[in-house]
Each structure stands twice: as C-alpha cells, then as structure tokens.
Amino acid sequence: MARVKRGVQARARHKKVLDEAKGYYGARSKIYRVAKQAVTKAGQYAYRDRRQRKRQFRRLWIVRINAAARTFDLSYSRFIDGLSKAQIEVDRKVLADLAVHDIEAFGVLAEKAKAAL
C-alpha cells in the first residue's frame, strides 16, 4: 500500500487561516501558529459582538426616545406605557428615528400617549 502524503491539505488549511488573518499586525498575519490563535479569537469576538450590537442599539434608541419624550413632559417609561395603553405598536427603532428626524410626528405620538394615561 502506498504511503499517504498530506502536504496539499496542510498547505490549503494553512493558506485558509493566513488569508483570514490578512491585515493583522506582525506575526499574527505571517506565522501560522500565531495566526490561527488570532483568527480563532477574532471569531469569538465577532460572535459575541454580533449579540452585543443588538443590545447597544436598543440602549441608544431608548436614550434618544427618552430625550425626545422629555421635551413633551413625559419620561421614557410613561411614554412607552401610554403608547401601549393607546394600543399603538411602534418599535423603538422607528420611535428613535422619528425622535431624531421628524419631531412633529413624534409629538403627535406623545400627545396620544399622554391622552391614554
């Protein structure tokens, strides 16, 4: 039985990792062992931060809604409570966009929320 030579697969695997590590500083982009660690850690950060990004955007939206609601003499929690009691279902992303770009429309929602409370 002929012996098995695995150089092709090893080179392909190394090349794949080094291609993913392109642009990293120093040995992290040139030496396979170091690059493999760097790519693995980068993947972990990317996985974690895809989830954190959703949390961070929600926090940002809430801050913007709160700031806009306070110009209409409502706190954030009272504003959201009023919207739910008025059976207005608008998500925080849209509310934050209205608060920044169309304050008149936000004002209409704020008045409805106040009336429902």
Side-chain angles (χ1 to χ4, degrees):
M1 188 184 280
R3 74 189 181 106
V4 176
K5 299 170 75 179
R6 303 193 329 236
V8 175
Q9 292 89 330
R11 169 153 313 210
R13 198 172 319 113
H14 288 201
K15 188 167 180 258
K16 189 171 114 182
V17 169
L18 288 170
D19 282 344
E20 278 186 71
K22 243 190 189 49
Y24 290 5
Y25 181 82
R28 295 164 74 91
S29 68
K30 294 184 175 45
I31 295 167
Y32 171 72
R33 249 196 225 176
V34 183
K36 188 168 193 275
Q37 291 174 354
V39 165
T40 302
K41 186 57 106 172
Q44 290 171 344
Y45 286 139
Y47 180 87
R48 179 198 69 191
D49 291 340
R50 278 195 297 275
R51 278 135 193 87
Q52 280 192 351
R53 181 175 56 215
K54 294 167 181 64
R55 297 175 208 155
Q56 288 166 354
F57 267 108
R58 185 182 165 98
R59 286 177 65 186
L60 174 67
W61 297 332
I62 288 171
V63 166
R64 287 179 174 175
I65 294 165
N66 189 23
R70 286 183 187 277
T71 62
F72 297 99
D73 300 321
L74 280 168
S75 68
Y76 168 79
S77 61
R78 301 269 298 152
F79 175 67
I80 294 293
D81 185 34
L83 285 181
S84 63
K85 283 180 178 164
Q87 295 179 335
I88 299 171
E89 290 184 20
V90 185
D91 63 0
R92 284 162 183 82
K93 181 179 178 180
V94 173
L95 285 171
D97 190 58
L98 286 176
V100 173
H101 296 108
D102 189 4
I103 199 71
E104 292 86 20
F106 189 87
V108 171
L109 288 176
E111 293 309 316
K112 289 186 178 174
K114 253 191 215 178
L117 285 171

